[in-house]
């Protein structure tokens, strides 16, 4: 198996990837809060982790990929307590059951994931389906002395955790005082907490709150950060390989997740933390709340003030892969137009590659160059999943393929072994690793079918002519002609083309 290196947000360093159990990878990625249509920024993060999932599998790991659905506890403004639940608010506004809201936007989310050819995770657990696990975790945290109950709500004791465990603030890389100041500015219902930096694990529901469950402390609902701690522990164990999400989740969400896990079992949840960077629109973070966003449907149809035309989902996916997942990516009309050209160039090269054939056996300089590029693309992916660089290698290979196709490079200078390796690698990268839809691959299937049928027809015509069955031969030619297919008889045999 090739050696993989990843950038660990926790150490802020590139590290060799050594899974906890050889051959197996447990990966947890924070999924969407299903209270509105998924926006392109979300899609970028899930595309990044889709490629990571695909590449880990390609390397030969058996991957258990858990990506949750947040359907309770995520409050307006991402505040800790005192805000209205995003899903409950939508349910009130649209006069729906909260679970209708959840179902509606989960369906939309799944459809969008399919549109972008993002593979489903191995497990997609929902927060509301894991209330017992969350209550259980709170009990453990209380038993370990890191949480306290007050007026039916339970809060994590952040100062105590900071004093006893040297862990808080490590992931977001910021000094604890700054984090605490930020929490102070953010939070309401401060009077209940022993310290403003304490965060809610269980919140007592007031009379109007829609989603509520029984617990030892009150009828209420869990805090937002708790679901990920409880569900990652349930499906991947208390210590697992990879935890991912967007960089905007580092604080408070992931920092608090680590605190909860350590508070419950004294062990750090993930060995490697991977964070995908933000999608920008014309230089500013894409965000629905300040109107700086494009919805995927608008991108496909082109109905947006930011776009001159619509773009196919696979062009958008390709556009996302052109940047490394840890870099910001700026969505502009010009960048999409350029991505469309780049995508078409790769796909054209793929089609031309299928038509290349050689019987040569000796290896040459060209063989060397091609093999080095293929290996380079794998090395780029092994270096923290650098899709941008790997795509660069595929473009260099496309130049070679085009030159072989138009005769600038000689096919005799390429061994059949290297050509087979190139076909295999190109297919693997485009479709298996980058997940660039198989519309071309299925088009290829159709092309193969048409080629096969045409060869059959040409053979039948040849037979008819040999038997002097002129009626049949003419009928075949005329029917093909009506279908705009031209048949040419040359000294090397019969060829066909579309008029
Ligand atoms: P949410 O539904 O807001 O909880 O977010 C779901 C996922 O999308 C999280 O992992 C976020 O980090 C990510 N996300 C939100 N906005 C953006 C953005 N502009 N670019 C990339 N990822 C984003
Ligand atoms: Zn999460």
């Amino acid at each position: 198996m090739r050696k993989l290196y990843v950038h660990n947000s926790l150490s802020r360093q590139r590290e060799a990837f050594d899974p906890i159990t050889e051959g197996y990878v447990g990966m947890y990625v924070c999924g969407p809060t299903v209270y509105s249509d998924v926006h392109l920024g979300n899609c970028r993060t899930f595309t990044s982790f889709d490629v990571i999932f695909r590449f880990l599998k390609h390397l030969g790991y058996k991957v258990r990929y858990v990506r949750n659905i947040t359907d309770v506890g995520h409050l307006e403004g991402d505040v800790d307590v005192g805000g209205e639940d995003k899903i409950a608010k939508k349910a009130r506004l649209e006069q729906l059951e909260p679970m209708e809201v959840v179902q509606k936007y989960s369906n939309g989310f799944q459809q969008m994931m399919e549109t972008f050819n993002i593979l489903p995770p191995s497990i997609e657990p929902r927060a509301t389906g894991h209330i017992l696990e969350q209550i259980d975790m709170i009990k453990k945290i209380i038993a370990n002395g890191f949480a306290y109950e007050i007026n039916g709500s339970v809060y994590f004791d952040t100062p105590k955790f900071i004093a006893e465990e040297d862990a808080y603030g490590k992931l977001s890389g910021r000094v604890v005082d700054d984090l605490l100041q930020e929490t102070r500015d953010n939070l309401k219902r401060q009077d209940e907490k022993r310290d403003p930096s304490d965060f809610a694990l269980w919140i007592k529901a007031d009379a109007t709150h829609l989603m509520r469950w029984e617990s030892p402390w009150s009828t209420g609902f869990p805090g937002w950060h708790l679901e990920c701690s409880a569900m990652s522990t349930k499906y991947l164990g208390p210590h697992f390989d990879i935890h991912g999400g967007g960089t905007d989740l580092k604080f408070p969400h992931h920092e608090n997740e680590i605190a909860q896990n350590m508070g419950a079992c004294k062990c750090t949840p993930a060995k490697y933390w991977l964070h995908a960077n933000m999608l920008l629109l014309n230089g500013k973070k894409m965000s629905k709340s300040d109107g700086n966003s494009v919805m995927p449907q608008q991108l496909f149809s082109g109905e947006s003030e930011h776009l001159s035309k619509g773009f196919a989902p696979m062009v958008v996916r390709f556009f996302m892969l052109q940047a490394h997942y840890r870099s910001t990516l700026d969505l502009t009309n010009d960048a999409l137009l350029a991505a469309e050209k780049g995508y078409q160039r790769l796909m054209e090269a793929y089609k031309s590659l299928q038509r290349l054939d050689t019987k040569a056996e000796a290896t040459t300089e060209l063989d060397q160059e091609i093999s080095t590029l293929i290996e380079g693309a794998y090395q780029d992916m092994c270096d923290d999943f650098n899709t941008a660089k790997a795509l660069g290698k595929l473009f260099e290979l496309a130049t070679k393929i085009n030159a072989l196709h138009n005769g600038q490079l000689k096919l005799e200078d390429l061994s059949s072994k290297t050509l087979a390796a190139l076909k295999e690698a190109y297919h693997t990268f485009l479709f298996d690793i980058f997940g660039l839809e198989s519309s071309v691959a299925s088009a290829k299937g159709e092309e193969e079918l048409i080629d096969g049928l045409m060869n059959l027809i040409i053979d039948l015509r040849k037979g008819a002519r040999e038997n002097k069955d002129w009626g049949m031969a003419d009928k075949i030619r005329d029917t093909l002609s009506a279908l705009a297919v031209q048949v040419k008889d040359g000294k090397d045999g019969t060829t066909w083309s579309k008029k």
Side-chain angles (χ1 to χ4, degrees), residues 123-149:
I123 305 176
E124 195 163 44
R126 287 184 181 188
T128 53
H130 297 78
I131 300 293
L132 290 179
E133 287 81 354
Q134 296 184 70
I135 290 175
D136 204 40
M137 192 160 218
I138 298 173
K139 286 184 189 162
K140 289 194 177 113
I141 300 173
I142 294 177
N144 286 335
F146 289 113
Y148 56 90
E149 188 240 310

Side-chain angles (χ1 to χ4, degrees), residues 40 43-55 112-120 299-300 311-323 329 331 336 339-340 343 347 387 391 429-438:
L40 264 177
C43 294
R44 184 199 180 191
T45 290
F46 300 127
T47 303
S48 298
F49 285 100
D50 181 52
V51 173
I52 290 172
F53 179 39
R54 285 166 178 270
F55 191 63
M112 199 48 71
M113 295 299 100
E114 273 176 39
T115 303
F116 280 115
N117 203 23
I118 292 171
L119 296 175
L299 199 55
F300 306 152
F311 295 91
M314 282 307 110
V315 169
V316 181
R317 184 172 170 116
F318 172 84
F319 164 72
M320 291 177 179
L321 300 179
Q322 277 182 309
L329 172 62
L331 186 120
L336 284 167
E340 192 171 53
Y343 175 70
M347 290 303 163
T387 53
L391 270 178
F429 266 95
L430 288 188
F431 304 118
D432 301 345
I433 298 175
F434 292 152
L436 290 169
E437 190 68 291
S438 29

Side-chain angles (χ1 to χ4, degrees), residues 28-31 68 70 224-225 227-229 243-244 249 253-254 257:
Y28 186 94
V29 172
C30 294
N68 69 303
T70 296
W224 170 37
H225 314 301
E227 58 169 290
C228 292
S229 289
H243 194 312
L249 297 183
H253 187 57
H254 289 162
E257 245 189 271

Side-chain angles (χ1 to χ4, degrees), residues 296-317:
Q297 289 302 349
Q298 290 178 293
L299 199 55
F300 306 152
S301 68
E303 283 159 27
S304 158
E305 49 172 338
H306 304 291
L307 303 170
S308 62
K309 66 187 270 303
F311 295 91
M314 282 307 110
V315 169
V316 181
R317 184 172 170 116

Side-chain angles (χ1 to χ4, degrees), residues 303-364:
E303 283 159 27
S304 158
E305 49 172 338
H306 304 291
L307 303 170
S308 62
K309 66 187 270 303
F311 295 91
M314 282 307 110
V315 169
V316 181
R317 184 172 170 116
F318 172 84
F319 164 72
M320 291 177 179
L321 300 179
Q322 277 182 309
H324 185 229
Y325 76 92
R326 284 194 298 114
S327 309
T328 53
L329 172 62
D330 195 9
L331 186 120
T332 63
N333 193 56
D334 285 350
L336 284 167
L337 287 169
E340 192 171 53
K341 281 208 181 109
Y343 175 70
Q344 280 161 359
R345 193 165 160 244
L346 276 193
M347 290 303 163
E348 285 305 321
Y350 173 75
K351 278 198 242 167
S352 302
L353 179 59
Q354 306 313 307
R355 294 191 206 111
L356 298 184
D357 200 9
T358 176
K359 301 263 179 303
E361 284 192 3
T363 47
T364 63

Side-chain angles (χ1 to χ4, degrees), residues 20 39 49 95 106 116 171 222 286 339 341 382 430:
I20 296 162
H39 73 76
F49 285 100
Q95 295 192 313
S106 298
F116 280 115
L171 181 69
M286 189 174 285
K341 281 208 181 109
C382 285
L430 288 188

